[in-house]
Amino acid sequence: MSEIPAKATESKDPSGGARAEAVGDAVAQIRPDEAPAADAMWQSSPPGSIYDYIKVASFSIGPDGLVDQWSLRAEQLFGIPAEHAVGMDPIEAFIDQDLRAQGQRKMAEILDGREWTGVVPFRVPAQEAPHEGECGREGLAEVYVMPTRTEEGEKAAVCIVVDVRTLRSIETDLAASQAIFGQSPFGFVLIDPELRVRRVNYRFASLFGGSPDDHRGKGVHDYLPRPEAERVTATLRRVLETGDSITDMHVTGFLPGSDERRHWSINLYRVRSGSGRPIGIAWLGTDITARRAAAREAAAARRNLALLNEAGARIGNSLDLETTARELLDVVVPGFCDLATVDLYQGLLAGDETPPGLADGSAELRRVAFASAVSDAPFAGSGAPVSVGAVHHYPFNSPCADALRTARPQYIPAEEGGLVQSTLAVPMVAHDTVVGLAQFSRTKGSEPFGDRDRDLAVELAARAAVCIDNARLYRREHERALILQRSLLPPGDPVASGLDIACRYLPGNSSADRPSEVGGDWFDVIELPGHRTALVVGDVMGRGLRAAVAMGELRSAVRTLALLDLEPAEVLSALDEIARGLGAPGGVQQATRAARRPREADLSEVYLATCVYAVYDSVTRRCTFANAGHLPPVLVEPGEDALMLDVPPGMPLGVGGEPFEEVEVELPEGALLALYTDGLVESRDHPLDEGLQAFVGALTDPSAPLEDVCDHVLNTLDTHHGEDDIALLMARVQGLPAGSVGDWTLPREPRSVGRAREYARGQLLSWDLEPLVDTTELLVSELVTNALRYGEGDIRLRLLLDRTLVCEVWDSGLVQPRRRRARDTDEGGRGLQLVGLLSAAWGSRRTPRGKTVWFELPLPDGENGMVDPAEALLSLF
């Protein structure tokens, strides 16, 4: 509604009301499209109307050309109160001197009945200025003058005045608004308080079709899907009510005629009138579809890099094939896919070099791993469900068989109505060899696999394949080394004279987190002449195939040296030289040269080993020990607690330069002797001293069967071992009874030969060994004769009866007998040949006081026939 002049009701001119009505009509002409309806013409305009914004002032001029009405807005515009303005000549009061003549002519034309519109400069007269500082204020006013008449019919005028500064401000605002709407590259929408579109710019209209006017009156639901529209509508109401702005709100929808999902970022703020009244909401939208796609690409790249980094850290920590496959699935589920499986060729798992059927992809595979981020998901991929551990194969025409055949990834079509919507079948290729197949699946609702996902899957599968192939090669080497190692150990339960033997060998436990390599532990039981037995336990430092080979060489060397009947310390000294050459080119030959040319040991070229070597004599029940850096033997005497024997440890084999000491211990009947390696008593979690005490404490019942004792020890110490191999050798002393030994000393004279035969005959008859009498007499006669002819000092004859019959002839001579082939014309030289023909074994050894020559005869059992002495004599001629 236009403002009624302040003096209209108080004017003495009865036509003032008509002129006021004319003012209202004139103001209404400014916005004819906004005129209120007839039935609402007496309603008050709300604050913030266009009249408040423009600040329209009005006054009227009477027939005398003087101001007769002055509105409040005129007071504000010109700074002159009504009491001063009424009765003033506007030309004289506001127009400069040089323009007054022109003003008077215009006033005459107006009073003559002409309308006039123009811009008039004005100033506030000094005498009329109500406030200090208003004096002489100049300005420009746009004036619209409309002729009228008073009730008496006299000519008058109504003037509507607007400050040009206000108009220019409005023009500037309109230009800025037009620039935003018309020139902005962003979509701009003005929404009214009823949440209907009031205005859009051309950018918005170009996207959603039609002209800007076509969008007037539409709502949010006309542009966005229902759920999104409801969310945005709620946000618009909140902005309108609270005035809080919204920035970078992401909205998703579709453009007309397109199925491509679009994304926009919108900013919302409430729009107010000049008086502060909310009149709507401004919507500024930017299409961020490309930006979101780029962000997704960047996020996918970061995710892929993170997955690759995680794969490098988590895959390959184990040398177990199945564990490596599970590590791959732990990485990809759920970060890369929802379901995944790994199938490996059954042939590779069985140790074959090349899987059969590789060319056509039809070879048998075993499912070794499955992972799912979806509950109750039976399997991943296509085809019938396959459980973990099951052996299966893919049909020739299937995508999986094609992937195995071509070594290229394949997309597997989704099954209608199934849980999975996208599957990748990726061959696992290591060193140009396909070792298996990995399948990655995404369920419905997830983003399908793309080319970048395919490349990432290939890289992940390749990394896992290399680790699996390494695990396969390790398993193959480990199995071969284990076969080699076990082949070098004594077969079955060793048998020894005067000893009850039990032994155990356990390879180190392998696990997914701590794989075990074959070690160099070994033990041996070697029968020596004279019903003596060598007990050996050793450990080559290091692991793997080379350690197993070194162990085999040392074991062979020990057997060779033992058969030479050397003393325990001499055996270890010779082994030390051999060990020094095992790691260098030339092997044992290098060790031989080292023995001839003493040098300091180069530990980088040798294998170090520990070893304990013991020789037990069943006749005397004495045992001689020598130790090369090994753990001490444990002895349990009947009725006593177990104790560790004080055997000087010496240096490990391969170090060289230090002699080895011997310790001789007499073992009572029924005593228990235990030799072992460090794997039994030492581990990462338990120190050596604790393990030794546990081992000693486990030997509580030495009288129990040896097999039970071994099992009890291993069960008791189960928590103390596992990483390393274990070798355990236990022997219970069962000395040769005195009645099984015949021992005589003979003077150095020819008659001793006959006496020796008599002693032997009588002893054999007392043992009920009459079938052996003739052969034994003949061979004893030969050995005693050689002792008289080539030996020195008194002669000692000893017969030992155990599993075999052993005859020994001792003398003080140092010359070892040597068998030679006698010529036809020779009268002698056939004695040792005869001994070799008639005996099961024979030999000689050095003793601290000379030498001993011995032979061995098997006991008659009704099956093994004896060689007739007469036939043996005839065969020599």
Side-chain angles (χ1 to χ4, degrees):
M1 297 292 290
S2 61
E3 182 181 327
I4 303 298
K7 293 295 184 177
T9 57
E10 300 177 4
S11 175
K12 297 177 181 180
D13 189 343
S15 65
R19 288 197 296 272
E21 183 179 353
V23 171
D25 293 340
V27 174
Q29 293 180 19
I30 297 177
R31 297 177 62 188
D33 58 329
E34 299 294 334
D39 59 350
M41 62 182 301
W42 297 110
Q43 294 180 1
S44 298
S45 296
S49 69
I50 187 63
Y51 304 107
D52 293 328
Y53 189 70
I54 298 178
K55 295 181 172 56
V56 178
S58 65
F59 63 91
S60 61
I61 300 174
D64 56 359
L66 301 179
V67 175
D68 63 356
Q69 294 187 73
W70 191 258
S71 69
L72 292 176
R73 285 282 176 84
E75 289 186 8
Q76 297 172 2
L77 176 61
F78 294 104
I80 301 175
E83 61 267 20
H84 289 210
V86 174
M88 292 176 57
D89 181 352
I91 302 300
E92 295 291 336
F94 303 113
I95 305 301
D96 289 338
Q97 182 69 34
D98 54 349
L99 298 176
R100 287 179 182 176
Q102 183 180 358
Q104 292 293 346
R105 287 194 300 271
K106 291 293 183 183
M107 181 59 68
E109 293 176 358
I110 292 170
L111 294 176
D112 194 33
R114 289 187 182 181
E115 293 184 359
W116 180 81
T117 302
V119 177
V120 179
F122 69 90
R123 60 180 173 80
V124 178
Q127 66 274 15
E128 300 296 341
H131 306 290
E132 184 179 358
E134 293 287 337
C135 177
R137 182 173 65 85
E138 296 182 354
L140 289 175
E142 185 169 325
V143 182
Y144 178 36
V145 183
M146 295 176 292
T148 186
R149 290 183 182 274
T150 64
E151 291 180 357
E152 290 81 9
E154 295 179 302
K155 295 179 178 181
V158 174
C159 300
I160 296 176
V161 184
V162 179
D163 191 345
V164 172
R165 292 177 300 175
T166 302
L167 293 178
R168 296 296 179 266
S169 175
I170 293 174
E171 289 178 355
T172 301
D173 292 345
L174 290 175
S177 175
Q178 185 61 32
I180 293 174
F181 268 81
Q183 303 174 25
S184 173
F186 310 115
F188 207 119
V189 183
L190 184 61
I191 300 175
D192 64 18
E194 301 300 325
L195 303 186
R196 293 290 177 179
V197 174
R198 173 60 61 87
R199 187 178 180 185
V200 303
N201 67 346
Y202 285 100
R203 175 61 178 169
F204 185 90
S206 67
L207 293 175
F208 286 92
S211 66
D213 293 337
D214 295 335
H215 295 271
R216 190 185 300 270
K218 291 185 177 181
V220 178
H221 288 79
D222 296 318
Y223 301 101
L224 298 175
R226 182 180 181 85
E228 194 77 336
E230 292 177 351
R231 182 175 69 93
V232 174
T233 299
T235 304
L236 290 173
R237 287 197 178 96
R238 187 169 66 252
V239 172
L240 189 63
E241 293 171 359
T242 65
D244 296 335
S245 300
I246 300 295
T247 59
D248 196 26
M249 176 181 178
H250 289 193
V251 177
T252 303
F254 301 90
L255 294 177
S258 174
D259 293 334
E260 180 184 3
R261 185 181 296 272
R262 310 292 295 183
H263 302 272
W264 295 277
S265 172
I266 62 173
N267 300 297
L268 304 173
Y269 59 92
R270 189 172 66 181
V271 178
R272 298 182 299 273
S273 67
S275 63
R277 178 176 63 89
I279 60 175
I281 302 171
W283 170 315
L284 180 63
T286 305
D287 193 327
I288 60 171
T289 304
R291 189 175 76 187
R292 281 178 61 92
R296 285 196 304 269
E297 292 292 324
R302 288 193 297 270
R303 181 198 66 188
N304 293 352
L305 289 176
L307 277 175
L308 289 175
N309 182 62
E310 185 180 4
R314 298 181 62 180
I315 299 177
N317 294 323
S318 168
L319 288 175
D320 180 76
L321 278 70
E322 291 80 359
T323 301
T324 302
R326 288 193 296 269
E327 289 171 347
L328 169 63
L329 301 193
D330 290 341
V331 171
V332 299
V333 177
F336 177 70
C337 61
D338 300 315
L339 302 137
T341 63
V342 173
D343 298 324
L344 298 180
Y345 275 117
Q346 176 68 8
L348 292 179
L349 294 172
D352 296 340
E353 289 294 329
T354 304
L358 181 61
D360 61 4
S362 63
E364 289 187 336
L365 299 106
R366 184 195 302 170
R367 180 147 297 177
V368 296
F370 165 71
S372 171
V374 182
S375 59
D376 300 329
F379 67 104
S382 61
V386 178
S387 60
V388 174
V391 177
H392 66 103
H393 71 277
Y394 292 105
F396 178 79
N397 294 327
S398 66
C400 293
D402 189 48
L404 292 169
R405 185 166 51 250
T406 63
R408 295 179 180 177
Q410 299 291 330
Y411 290 98
I412 299 179
E415 296 181 359
E416 185 176 355
L419 175 68
V420 176
Q421 77 158 357
S422 181
T423 299
L424 272 174
V426 183
M428 306 181 70
V429 183
H431 311 300
D432 298 327
T433 301
V434 178
V435 299
L437 182 75
Q439 294 187 67
F440 309 106
S441 300
R442 290 179 179 174
T443 57
K444 292 183 177 179
S446 302
E447 184 177 355
F449 289 114
D451 292 341
R452 175 177 276 112
D453 296 322
R454 179 197 60 196
D455 296 339
L456 175 62
V458 170
E459 177 64 23
L460 291 171
R463 293 194 178 193
V466 171
C467 296
I468 287 175
D469 192 55
N470 290 340
R472 177 184 65 84
L473 295 176
Y474 164 78
R475 177 182 289 185
R476 183 185 66 184
E477 179 181 345
H478 181 271
E479 290 175 351
R480 291 178 178 178
L482 192 60
I483 292 173
L484 171 63
Q485 186 180 38
R486 288 177 172 172
S487 68
L488 297 175
L489 296 175
D493 293 329
V495 178
S497 177
L499 292 175
D500 184 11
I501 302 288
C503 54
R504 293 288 187 275
Y505 174 77
L506 300 178
N509 294 336
S510 297
S511 65
D513 299 328
R514 189 176 57 202
S516 174
E517 293 184 290
V518 172
D521 295 18
W522 92 93
F523 67 91
D524 208 347
V525 177
I526 307 171
E527 291 191 82
L528 300 178
H531 290 312
R532 295 173 304 129
T533 303
L535 304 175
V536 189
V537 170
D539 184 4
V540 176
M541 298 181 186
R543 306 191 63 79
L545 185 60
R546 295 184 62 192
V549 172
M551 177 271 288
E553 294 185 358
L554 288 178
R555 177 181 179 272
S556 299
V558 169
R559 278 193 161 267
T560 301
L561 296 172
L563 294 179
L564 295 177
D565 218 347
L566 302 177
E567 296 297 323
E570 294 177 330
V571 171
L572 293 185
S573 296
L575 278 179
D576 180 50
E577 294 297 336
I578 293 174
R580 291 171 61 186
L582 289 182
V588 177
Q589 296 178 0
Q590 177 75 16
T592 304
R593 289 194 297 270
R596 296 174 180 173
R597 179 172 51 86
R599 60 182 177 89
E600 294 184 1
D602 184 358
L603 299 184
S604 64
E605 296 183 357
V606 300
Y607 272 102
L608 298 180
T610 63
C611 179
V612 60
Y613 184 88
V615 175
Y616 169 72
D617 190 334
S618 62
V619 178
T620 63
R621 292 201 307 272
R622 303 189 69 83
C623 189
T624 304
F625 296 91
N627 190 354
H630 203 79
L631 296 174
V634 175
L635 177 65
V636 186
E637 296 184 1
E640 302 291 340
D641 294 334
L643 58 89
M644 289 180 285
L645 294 178
D646 186 13
V647 179
M651 299 298 292
L653 301 176
V655 175
E658 293 293 332
F660 297 96
E661 299 183 38
E662 292 182 355
V663 172
E664 188 176 69
V665 178
E666 184 174 353
L667 305 179
E669 185 74 17
L672 183 65
L673 179 65
L675 306 179
Y676 52 95
T677 57
D678 57 356
L680 179 68
V681 295
E682 187 178 24
S683 69
R684 299 177 185 177
D685 302 326
H686 299 84
L688 178 61
D689 291 343
E690 179 181 336
L692 287 173
Q693 292 302 321
F695 177 45
V696 170
L699 297 174
T700 56
D701 187 12
S703 62
L706 277 188
E707 296 293 332
D708 295 341
V709 174
C710 288
D711 294 337
H712 174 71
V713 168
L714 294 178
N715 293 333
T716 303
L717 300 183
D718 183 65
T719 57
H720 295 273
H721 76 267
E723 299 94 351
D724 200 359
D725 295 354
I726 295 176
L728 175 63
L729 178 62
M730 305 193 76
R732 178 177 287 117
V733 174
Q734 295 176 346
L736 203 61
S740 298
V741 179
D743 196 346
W744 304 273
T745 301
L746 302 173
R748 192 172 186 79
E749 58 185 27
R751 291 182 302 175
S752 294
V753 177
R755 290 181 181 177
R757 288 197 298 267
E758 292 176 2
Y759 292 150
R761 170 180 289 273
Q763 188 65 65
L764 292 180
L765 291 177
S766 67
W767 288 339
D768 294 328
L769 295 177
E770 185 176 355
L772 299 182
V773 170
D774 293 341
T775 302
T776 303
E777 281 187 311
L778 177 59
L779 298 184
V780 165
S781 177
E782 290 293 333
L783 295 185
V784 173
T785 300
N786 286 342
L788 288 173
R789 296 180 62 181
Y790 307 109
E792 299 177 3
D794 292 340
I795 301 171
R796 181 183 177 188
L797 172 64
R798 190 168 71 168
L799 295 178
L800 307 175
L801 177 62
D802 192 32
R803 292 178 295 109
T804 60
L805 176 66
V806 175
C807 176
E808 298 176 335
V809 176
W810 304 47
D811 69 78
S812 302
L814 299 178
V815 179
Q816 297 291 328
R818 182 174 61 88
R819 189 172 65 174
R820 62 182 180 87
R821 181 174 296 277
R823 293 190 296 269
D824 294 342
T825 58
D826 291 343
E827 294 183 359
R830 298 179 177 87
L832 293 181
Q833 294 186 38
L834 184 62
V835 174
L837 286 173
L838 295 178
S839 65
W842 77 278
S844 65
R845 67 178 186 274
R846 292 182 299 169
T847 64
R849 298 181 180 180
K851 67 177 181 296
T852 300
V853 183
W854 58 271
F855 67 85
E856 182 176 329
L857 295 176
L859 299 181
D861 56 4
E863 297 179 2
N864 297 327
M866 299 296 297
V867 179
D868 183 57
E871 294 180 358
L873 288 173
L874 291 176
S875 66
L876 296 178
F877 296 94

